[in-house]
Amino acid sequence: MRAMTAILGLSLAVALGACKIVPNPEPGSENAASQTDEDRMAAKAAEVYDSQLVPYVSGKAIDLPVLTSALHGGYEAAGKAHGIRPQAEGSPWNFLVKGQGTVIEANRESRAATLTLDATGDGQADVTIQLGPVIKGTALRDSADFIVFTDYRDQIEFAKLARALNDRTHAAITLPEGDLTGKTVRFEGATTLRSATDPILVVPTVLDVQP
């Protein structure tokens, strides 16, 4: 009898040892756990884009001639006066800029589609607007002082946020059909410059084609 009791006790101990106690998940946590980085960063971009980022750019953007004039006085001086730079050592200056110009080239066939604008009336390119869907750089992310690297898990997640913001910009752009050459375009957006002579390549948060 004692032997049988011992065997039953041992069997019960083994069975309990093989069990894994899983607490009930918090409401909604199972969905959060199943999301990919891309899903979560897309949701974050959707959360901040219209409510924070677009008005932030509108409130802080400087006129394009102000930026170009400042750059003539030196890259670092222009950055300190008008730019935003992440804390990481060696990071380039980012600028929020607005203006308008005449389209002198419309490249809408490429996945990295662009509009090139003459903003001074001399027939030369002064600024290029990125349309996407492939939008280069991290200007939107890095020009917003309310987006802070330490709020994110690591550099990979932070990079995916930049991509999600660029995707959000592309989705928000609406342009009329047909050739836009000669049309006047008003824009607001962000650009990253690594020197005073870099081409100004803008990721737009506002893009209006004038009738």
PDB file of all heavy atoms in Angstrom, residues 8-44:
ATOM      1  N   LEU A   8       2.038   6.791  -6.749  1.00  0.00           N
ATOM      2  CA  LEU A   8       1.042   7.793  -7.136  1.00  0.00           C
ATOM      3  C   LEU A   8       1.547   9.206  -6.852  1.00  0.00           C
ATOM      4  O   LEU A   8       1.367  10.136  -7.653  1.00  0.00           O
ATOM      5  CB  LEU A   8      -0.275   7.540  -6.386  1.00  0.00           C
ATOM      6  CG  LEU A   8      -1.072   6.316  -6.815  1.00  0.00           C
ATOM      7  CD1 LEU A   8      -2.256   6.100  -5.884  1.00  0.00           C
ATOM      8  CD2 LEU A   8      -1.546   6.477  -8.260  1.00  0.00           C
ATOM      9  N   GLY A   9       2.201   9.347  -5.707  1.00  0.00           N
ATOM     10  CA  GLY A   9       2.739  10.673  -5.364  1.00  0.00           C
ATOM     11  C   GLY A   9       3.803  11.109  -6.342  1.00  0.00           C
ATOM     12  O   GLY A   9       3.867  12.265  -6.764  1.00  0.00           O
ATOM     13  N   LEU A  10       4.681  10.200  -6.733  1.00  0.00           N
ATOM     14  CA  LEU A  10       5.736  10.511  -7.693  1.00  0.00           C
ATOM     15  C   LEU A  10       5.146  10.875  -9.040  1.00  0.00           C
ATOM     16  O   LEU A  10       5.577  11.821  -9.703  1.00  0.00           O
ATOM     17  CB  LEU A  10       6.674   9.309  -7.813  1.00  0.00           C
ATOM     18  CG  LEU A  10       7.844   9.471  -8.805  1.00  0.00           C
ATOM     19  CD1 LEU A  10       8.727  10.651  -8.398  1.00  0.00           C
ATOM     20  CD2 LEU A  10       8.660   8.181  -8.869  1.00  0.00           C
ATOM     21  N   SER A  11       4.111  10.128  -9.466  1.00  0.00           N
ATOM     22  CA  SER A  11       3.458  10.405 -10.753  1.00  0.00           C
ATOM     23  C   SER A  11       2.837  11.795 -10.756  1.00  0.00           C
ATOM     24  O   SER A  11       2.916  12.542 -11.732  1.00  0.00           O
ATOM     25  CB  SER A  11       2.380   9.354 -11.052  1.00  0.00           C
ATOM     26  OG  SER A  11       2.957   8.078 -11.136  1.00  0.00           O
ATOM     27  N   LEU A  12       2.193  12.144  -9.611  1.00  0.00           N
ATOM     28  CA  LEU A  12       1.564  13.462  -9.525  1.00  0.00           C
ATOM     29  C   LEU A  12       2.607  14.567  -9.576  1.00  0.00           C
ATOM     30  O   LEU A  12       2.442  15.592 -10.237  1.00  0.00           O
ATOM     31  CB  LEU A  12       0.759  13.542  -8.221  1.00  0.00           C
ATOM     32  CG  LEU A  12       0.031  14.876  -7.967  1.00  0.00           C
ATOM     33  CD1 LEU A  12      -0.958  15.144  -9.098  1.00  0.00           C
ATOM     34  CD2 LEU A  12      -0.677  14.842  -6.623  1.00  0.00           C
ATOM     35  N   ALA A  13       3.738  14.347  -8.904  1.00  0.00           N
ATOM     36  CA  ALA A  13       4.803  15.355  -8.905  1.00  0.00           C
ATOM     37  C   ALA A  13       5.361  15.562 -10.299  1.00  0.00           C
ATOM     38  O   ALA A  13       5.626  16.688 -10.743  1.00  0.00           O
ATOM     39  CB  ALA A  13       5.918  14.920  -7.943  1.00  0.00           C
ATOM     40  N   VAL A  14       5.566  14.455 -11.026  1.00  0.00           N
ATOM     41  CA  VAL A  14       6.074  14.553 -12.400  1.00  0.00           C
ATOM     42  C   VAL A  14       5.096  15.294 -13.286  1.00  0.00           C
ATOM     43  O   VAL A  14       5.450  16.157 -14.097  1.00  0.00           O
ATOM     44  CB  VAL A  14       6.372  13.149 -12.964  1.00  0.00           C
ATOM     45  CG1 VAL A  14       6.687  13.233 -14.463  1.00  0.00           C
ATOM     46  CG2 VAL A  14       7.531  12.525 -12.213  1.00  0.00           C
ATOM     47  N   ALA A  15       3.790  14.973 -13.122  1.00  0.00           N
ATOM     48  CA  ALA A  15       2.764  15.620 -13.947  1.00  0.00           C
ATOM     49  C   ALA A  15       2.707  17.109 -13.678  1.00  0.00           C
ATOM     50  O   ALA A  15       2.611  17.935 -14.597  1.00  0.00           O
ATOM     51  CB  ALA A  15       1.400  14.971 -13.677  1.00  0.00           C
ATOM     52  N   LEU A  16       2.769  17.485 -12.391  1.00  0.00           N
ATOM     53  CA  LEU A  16       2.740  18.913 -12.061  1.00  0.00           C
ATOM     54  C   LEU A  16       3.986  19.627 -12.560  1.00  0.00           C
ATOM     55  O   LEU A  16       3.951  20.760 -13.013  1.00  0.00           O
ATOM     56  CB  LEU A  16       2.616  19.078 -10.543  1.00  0.00           C
ATOM     57  CG  LEU A  16       1.253  18.723  -9.942  1.00  0.00           C
ATOM     58  CD1 LEU A  16       1.312  18.792  -8.422  1.00  0.00           C
ATOM     59  CD2 LEU A  16       0.166  19.643 -10.480  1.00  0.00           C
ATOM     60  N   GLY A  17       5.130  18.912 -12.494  1.00  0.00           N
ATOM     61  CA  GLY A  17       6.371  19.517 -12.973  1.00  0.00           C
ATOM     62  C   GLY A  17       6.351  19.792 -14.454  1.00  0.00           C
ATOM     63  O   GLY A  17       7.006  20.696 -14.948  1.00  0.00           O
ATOM     64  N   ALA A  18       5.585  18.984 -15.196  1.00  0.00           N
ATOM     65  CA  ALA A  18       5.521  19.167 -16.642  1.00  0.00           C
ATOM     66  C   ALA A  18       4.569  20.265 -17.043  1.00  0.00           C
ATOM     67  O   ALA A  18       4.549  20.698 -18.187  1.00  0.00           O
ATOM     68  CB  ALA A  18       5.095  17.852 -17.302  1.00  0.00           C
ATOM     69  N   CYS A  19       3.733  20.716 -16.108  1.00  0.00           N
ATOM     70  CA  CYS A  19       2.758  21.761 -16.418  1.00  0.00           C
ATOM     71  C   CYS A  19       3.413  23.129 -16.348  1.00  0.00           C
ATOM     72  O   CYS A  19       4.288  23.364 -15.519  1.00  0.00           O
ATOM     73  CB  CYS A  19       1.592  21.706 -15.424  1.00  0.00           C
ATOM     74  SG  CYS A  19       0.589  20.216 -15.590  1.00  0.00           S
ATOM     75  N   LYS A  20       2.976  24.046 -17.191  1.00  0.00           N
ATOM     76  CA  LYS A  20       3.439  25.427 -17.170  1.00  0.00           C
ATOM     77  C   LYS A  20       2.259  26.323 -16.842  1.00  0.00           C
ATOM     78  O   LYS A  20       1.248  26.311 -17.544  1.00  0.00           O
ATOM     79  CB  LYS A  20       4.035  25.824 -18.538  1.00  0.00           C
ATOM     80  CG  LYS A  20       4.566  27.256 -18.567  1.00  0.00           C
ATOM     81  CD  LYS A  20       5.179  27.566 -19.923  1.00  0.00           C
ATOM     82  CE  LYS A  20       5.736  28.971 -19.953  1.00  0.00           C
ATOM     83  NZ  LYS A  20       6.315  29.304 -21.266  1.00  0.00           N
ATOM     84  N   ILE A  21       2.352  27.053 -15.751  1.00  0.00           N
ATOM     85  CA  ILE A  21       1.263  27.927 -15.339  1.00  0.00           C
ATOM     86  C   ILE A  21       1.370  29.238 -16.104  1.00  0.00           C
ATOM     87  O   ILE A  21       2.392  29.927 -16.027  1.00  0.00           O
ATOM     88  CB  ILE A  21       1.309  28.181 -13.825  1.00  0.00           C
ATOM     89  CG1 ILE A  21       1.152  26.852 -13.076  1.00  0.00           C
ATOM     90  CG2 ILE A  21       0.239  29.167 -13.407  1.00  0.00           C
ATOM     91  CD1 ILE A  21       1.334  26.961 -11.585  1.00  0.00           C
ATOM     92  N   VAL A  22       0.365  29.558 -16.874  1.00  0.00           N
ATOM     93  CA  VAL A  22       0.356  30.774 -17.698  1.00  0.00           C
ATOM     94  C   VAL A  22      -0.696  31.715 -17.154  1.00  0.00           C
ATOM     95  O   VAL A  22      -1.882  31.362 -17.093  1.00  0.00           O
ATOM     96  CB  VAL A  22       0.035  30.440 -19.170  1.00  0.00           C
ATOM     97  CG1 VAL A  22       0.020  31.711 -20.001  1.00  0.00           C
ATOM     98  CG2 VAL A  22       1.045  29.444 -19.713  1.00  0.00           C
ATOM     99  N   PRO A  23      -0.307  32.899 -16.699  1.00  0.00           N
ATOM    100  CA  PRO A  23      -1.296  33.838 -16.164  1.00  0.00           C
ATOM    101  C   PRO A  23      -2.202  34.346 -17.270  1.00  0.00           C
ATOM    102  O   PRO A  23      -1.833  34.366 -18.444  1.00  0.00           O
ATOM    103  CB  PRO A  23      -0.423  34.969 -15.592  1.00  0.00           C
ATOM    104  CG  PRO A  23       0.850  34.902 -16.381  1.00  0.00           C
ATOM    105  CD  PRO A  23       1.053  33.438 -16.677  1.00  0.00           C
ATOM    106  N   ASN A  24      -3.394  34.778 -16.878  1.00  0.00           N
ATOM    107  CA  ASN A  24      -4.302  35.374 -17.856  1.00  0.00           C
ATOM    108  C   ASN A  24      -3.700  36.664 -18.387  1.00  0.00           C
ATOM    109  O   ASN A  24      -3.234  37.501 -17.610  1.00  0.00           O
ATOM    110  CB  ASN A  24      -5.659  35.675 -17.207  1.00  0.00           C
ATOM    111  CG  ASN A  24      -6.420  34.414 -16.885  1.00  0.00           C
ATOM    112  OD1 ASN A  24      -6.280  33.413 -17.591  1.00  0.00           O
ATOM    113  ND2 ASN A  24      -7.200  34.458 -15.826  1.00  0.00           N
ATOM    114  N   PRO A  25      -3.677  36.872 -19.720  1.00  0.00           N
ATOM    115  CA  PRO A  25      -3.077  38.090 -20.274  1.00  0.00           C
ATOM    116  C   PRO A  25      -3.930  39.309 -19.976  1.00  0.00           C
ATOM    117  O   PRO A  25      -5.132  39.215 -19.782  1.00  0.00           O
ATOM    118  CB  PRO A  25      -3.049  37.805 -21.788  1.00  0.00           C
ATOM    119  CG  PRO A  25      -4.156  36.824 -22.003  1.00  0.00           C
ATOM    120  CD  PRO A  25      -4.211  35.986 -20.762  1.00  0.00           C
ATOM    121  N   GLU A  26      -3.255  40.457 -19.891  1.00  0.00           N
ATOM    122  CA  GLU A  26      -3.985  41.710 -19.765  1.00  0.00           C
ATOM    123  C   GLU A  26      -4.810  41.927 -21.023  1.00  0.00           C
ATOM    124  O   GLU A  26      -4.423  41.491 -22.113  1.00  0.00           O
ATOM    125  CB  GLU A  26      -3.003  42.877 -19.591  1.00  0.00           C
ATOM    126  CG  GLU A  26      -2.238  42.851 -18.275  1.00  0.00           C
ATOM    127  CD  GLU A  26      -3.140  43.051 -17.075  1.00  0.00           C
ATOM    128  OE1 GLU A  26      -4.141  43.775 -17.212  1.00  0.00           O
ATOM    129  OE2 GLU A  26      -2.864  42.460 -16.017  1.00  0.00           O
ATOM    130  N   PRO A  27      -5.953  42.630 -20.905  1.00  0.00           N
ATOM    131  CA  PRO A  27      -6.778  42.872 -22.089  1.00  0.00           C
ATOM    132  C   PRO A  27      -5.981  43.554 -23.189  1.00  0.00           C
ATOM    133  O   PRO A  27      -5.333  44.572 -22.960  1.00  0.00           O
ATOM    134  CB  PRO A  27      -7.888  43.794 -21.548  1.00  0.00           C
ATOM    135  CG  PRO A  27      -7.947  43.501 -20.088  1.00  0.00           C
ATOM    136  CD  PRO A  27      -6.550  43.166 -19.681  1.00  0.00           C
ATOM    137  N   GLY A  28      -6.023  42.959 -24.381  1.00  0.00           N
ATOM    138  CA  GLY A  28      -5.347  43.541 -25.533  1.00  0.00           C
ATOM    139  C   GLY A  28      -3.884  43.186 -25.646  1.00  0.00           C
ATOM    140  O   GLY A  28      -3.261  43.410 -26.674  1.00  0.00           O
ATOM    141  N   SER A  29      -3.297  42.609 -24.573  1.00  0.00           N
ATOM    142  CA  SER A  29      -1.863  42.343 -24.614  1.00  0.00           C
ATOM    143  C   SER A  29      -1.512  41.260 -25.618  1.00  0.00           C
ATOM    144  O   SER A  29      -0.439  41.254 -26.184  1.00  0.00           O
ATOM    145  CB  SER A  29      -1.355  41.960 -23.226  1.00  0.00           C
ATOM    146  OG  SER A  29      -1.967  40.752 -22.797  1.00  0.00           O
ATOM    147  N   GLU A  30      -2.435  40.302 -25.852  1.00  0.00           N
ATOM    148  CA  GLU A  30      -2.135  39.259 -26.816  1.00  0.00           C
ATOM    149  C   GLU A  30      -1.999  39.831 -28.221  1.00  0.00           C
ATOM    150  O   GLU A  30      -1.192  39.379 -29.014  1.00  0.00           O
ATOM    151  CB  GLU A  30      -3.215  38.167 -26.795  1.00  0.00           C
ATOM    152  CG  GLU A  30      -4.626  38.655 -27.077  1.00  0.00           C
ATOM    153  CD  GLU A  30      -5.353  39.085 -25.807  1.00  0.00           C
ATOM    154  OE1 GLU A  30      -4.679  39.356 -24.813  1.00  0.00           O
ATOM    155  OE2 GLU A  30      -6.593  39.158 -25.836  1.00  0.00           O
ATOM    156  N   ASN A  31      -2.749  40.896 -28.527  1.00  0.00           N
ATOM    157  CA  ASN A  31      -2.614  41.546 -29.833  1.00  0.00           C
ATOM    158  C   ASN A  31      -1.288  42.290 -29.924  1.00  0.00           C
ATOM    159  O   ASN A  31      -0.605  42.256 -30.946  1.00  0.00           O
ATOM    160  CB  ASN A  31      -3.775  42.511 -30.060  1.00  0.00           C
ATOM    161  CG  ASN A  31      -5.094  41.795 -30.237  1.00  0.00           C
ATOM    162  OD1 ASN A  31      -5.131  40.657 -30.685  1.00  0.00           O
ATOM    163  ND2 ASN A  31      -6.181  42.441 -29.861  1.00  0.00           N
ATOM    164  N   ALA A  32      -0.935  42.978 -28.829  1.00  0.00           N
ATOM    165  CA  ALA A  32       0.326  43.722 -28.832  1.00  0.00           C
ATOM    166  C   ALA A  32       1.511  42.787 -29.005  1.00  0.00           C
ATOM    167  O   ALA A  32       2.458  43.083 -29.716  1.00  0.00           O
ATOM    168  CB  ALA A  32       0.453  44.521 -27.534  1.00  0.00           C
ATOM    169  N   ALA A  33       1.439  41.628 -28.350  1.00  0.00           N
ATOM    170  CA  ALA A  33       2.555  40.687 -28.423  1.00  0.00           C
ATOM    171  C   ALA A  33       2.717  40.116 -29.822  1.00  0.00           C
ATOM    172  O   ALA A  33       3.815  39.750 -30.222  1.00  0.00           O
ATOM    173  CB  ALA A  33       2.339  39.564 -27.416  1.00  0.00           C
ATOM    174  N   SER A  34       1.631  40.015 -30.564  1.00  0.00           N
ATOM    175  CA  SER A  34       1.693  39.411 -31.884  1.00  0.00           C
ATOM    176  C   SER A  34       2.083  40.402 -32.974  1.00  0.00           C
ATOM    177  O   SER A  34       2.325  40.016 -34.106  1.00  0.00           O
ATOM    178  CB  SER A  34       0.341  38.778 -32.239  1.00  0.00           C
ATOM    179  OG  SER A  34      -0.658  39.784 -32.369  1.00  0.00           O
ATOM    180  N   GLN A  35       2.145  41.705 -32.646  1.00  0.00           N
ATOM    181  CA  GLN A  35       2.489  42.702 -33.644  1.00  0.00           C
ATOM    182  C   GLN A  35       3.982  42.670 -33.972  1.00  0.00           C
ATOM    183  O   GLN A  35       4.814  42.466 -33.094  1.00  0.00           O
ATOM    184  CB  GLN A  35       2.129  44.105 -33.151  1.00  0.00           C
ATOM    185  CG  GLN A  35       0.653  44.446 -33.219  1.00  0.00           C
ATOM    186  CD  GLN A  35       0.414  45.896 -32.873  1.00  0.00           C
ATOM    187  OE1 GLN A  35       1.035  46.450 -31.973  1.00  0.00           O
ATOM    188  NE2 GLN A  35      -0.479  46.525 -33.591  1.00  0.00           N
ATOM    189  N   THR A  36       4.300  42.907 -35.215  1.00  0.00           N
ATOM    190  CA  THR A  36       5.698  43.061 -35.616  1.00  0.00           C
ATOM    191  C   THR A  36       6.158  44.484 -35.331  1.00  0.00           C
ATOM    192  O   THR A  36       5.354  45.377 -35.046  1.00  0.00           O
ATOM    193  CB  THR A  36       5.854  42.781 -37.116  1.00  0.00           C
ATOM    194  OG1 THR A  36       5.125  43.788 -37.857  1.00  0.00           O
ATOM    195  CG2 THR A  36       5.329  41.395 -37.482  1.00  0.00           C
ATOM    196  N   ASP A  37       7.466  44.701 -35.411  1.00  0.00           N
ATOM    197  CA  ASP A  37       7.995  46.062 -35.289  1.00  0.00           C
ATOM    198  C   ASP A  37       7.350  46.984 -36.316  1.00  0.00           C
ATOM    199  O   ASP A  37       7.006  48.137 -36.019  1.00  0.00           O
ATOM    200  CB  ASP A  37       9.513  46.060 -35.517  1.00  0.00           C
ATOM    201  CG  ASP A  37      10.279  45.566 -34.303  1.00  0.00           C
ATOM    202  OD1 ASP A  37       9.655  45.323 -33.260  1.00  0.00           O
ATOM    203  OD2 ASP A  37      11.513  45.418 -34.419  1.00  0.00           O
ATOM    204  N   GLU A  38       7.217  46.481 -37.537  1.00  0.00           N
ATOM    205  CA  GLU A  38       6.630  47.289 -38.606  1.00  0.00           C
ATOM    206  C   GLU A  38       5.201  47.696 -38.272  1.00  0.00           C
ATOM    207  O   GLU A  38       4.799  48.850 -38.494  1.00  0.00           O
ATOM    208  CB  GLU A  38       6.661  46.529 -39.935  1.00  0.00           C
ATOM    209  CG  GLU A  38       8.044  46.382 -40.560  1.00  0.00           C
ATOM    210  CD  GLU A  38       8.872  45.266 -39.948  1.00  0.00           C
ATOM    211  OE1 GLU A  38       8.357  44.535 -39.065  1.00  0.00           O
ATOM    212  OE2 GLU A  38      10.050  45.135 -40.331  1.00  0.00           O
ATOM    213  N   ASP A  39       4.430  46.759 -37.718  1.00  0.00           N
ATOM    214  CA  ASP A  39       3.052  47.064 -37.328  1.00  0.00           C
ATOM    215  C   ASP A  39       3.013  48.148 -36.254  1.00  0.00           C
ATOM    216  O   ASP A  39       2.225  49.097 -36.333  1.00  0.00           O
ATOM    217  CB  ASP A  39       2.350  45.807 -36.786  1.00  0.00           C
ATOM    218  CG  ASP A  39       2.102  44.762 -37.856  1.00  0.00           C
ATOM    219  OD1 ASP A  39       2.014  45.127 -39.045  1.00  0.00           O
ATOM    220  OD2 ASP A  39       1.993  43.570 -37.499  1.00  0.00           O
ATOM    221  N   ARG A  40       3.851  47.985 -35.252  1.00  0.00           N
ATOM    222  CA  ARG A  40       3.833  48.936 -34.137  1.00  0.00           C
ATOM    223  C   ARG A  40       4.325  50.308 -34.561  1.00  0.00           C
ATOM    224  O   ARG A  40       3.771  51.336 -34.150  1.00  0.00           O
ATOM    225  CB  ARG A  40       4.677  48.401 -32.976  1.00  0.00           C
ATOM    226  CG  ARG A  40       4.039  47.227 -32.261  1.00  0.00           C
ATOM    227  CD  ARG A  40       4.803  46.778 -31.031  1.00  0.00           C
ATOM    228  NE  ARG A  40       6.145  46.292 -31.360  1.00  0.00           N
ATOM    229  CZ  ARG A  40       7.265  46.979 -31.226  1.00  0.00           C
ATOM    230  NH1 ARG A  40       7.215  48.206 -30.752  1.00  0.00           N
ATOM    231  NH2 ARG A  40       8.431  46.459 -31.553  1.00  0.00           N
ATOM    232  N   MET A  41       5.346  50.363 -35.409  1.00  0.00           N
ATOM    233  CA  MET A  41       5.844  51.659 -35.852  1.00  0.00           C
ATOM    234  C   MET A  41       4.867  52.332 -36.823  1.00  0.00           C
ATOM    235  O   MET A  41       4.744  53.549 -36.842  1.00  0.00           O
ATOM    236  CB  MET A  41       7.229  51.511 -36.489  1.00  0.00           C
ATOM    237  CG  MET A  41       8.317  51.100 -35.486  1.00  0.00           C
ATOM    238  SD  MET A  41       8.474  52.222 -34.056  1.00  0.00           S
ATOM    239  CE  MET A  41       7.537  51.334 -32.797  1.00  0.00           C
ATOM    240  N   ALA A  42       4.164  51.537 -37.628  1.00  0.00           N
ATOM    241  CA  ALA A  42       3.120  52.101 -38.489  1.00  0.00           C
ATOM    242  C   ALA A  42       2.004  52.697 -37.641  1.00  0.00           C
ATOM    243  O   ALA A  42       1.474  53.777 -37.948  1.00  0.00           O
ATOM    244  CB  ALA A  42       2.567  51.028 -39.428  1.00  0.00           C
ATOM    245  N   ALA A  43       1.647  52.015 -36.559  1.00  0.00           N
ATOM    246  CA  ALA A  43       0.613  52.531 -35.658  1.00  0.00           C
ATOM    247  C   ALA A  43       1.091  53.807 -34.974  1.00  0.00           C
ATOM    248  O   ALA A  43       0.315  54.766 -34.806  1.00  0.00           O
ATOM    249  CB  ALA A  43       0.252  51.473 -34.624  1.00  0.00           C
ATOM    250  N   LYS A  44       2.368  53.848 -34.577  1.00  0.00           N
ATOM    251  CA  LYS A  44       2.914  55.054 -33.943  1.00  0.00           C
ATOM    252  C   LYS A  44       2.932  56.219 -34.929  1.00  0.00           C
ATOM    253  O   LYS A  44       2.572  57.356 -34.574  1.00  0.00           O
ATOM    254  CB  LYS A  44       4.330  54.769 -33.438  1.00  0.00           C
ATOM    255  CG  LYS A  44       4.977  55.938 -32.708  1.00  0.00           C
ATOM    256  CD  LYS A  44       4.221  56.288 -31.444  1.00  0.00           C
ATOM    257  CE  LYS A  44       4.905  57.396 -30.667  1.00  0.00           C
ATOM    258  NZ  LYS A  44       4.152  57.766 -29.445  1.00  0.00           N
TER     259      LYS A  44
END
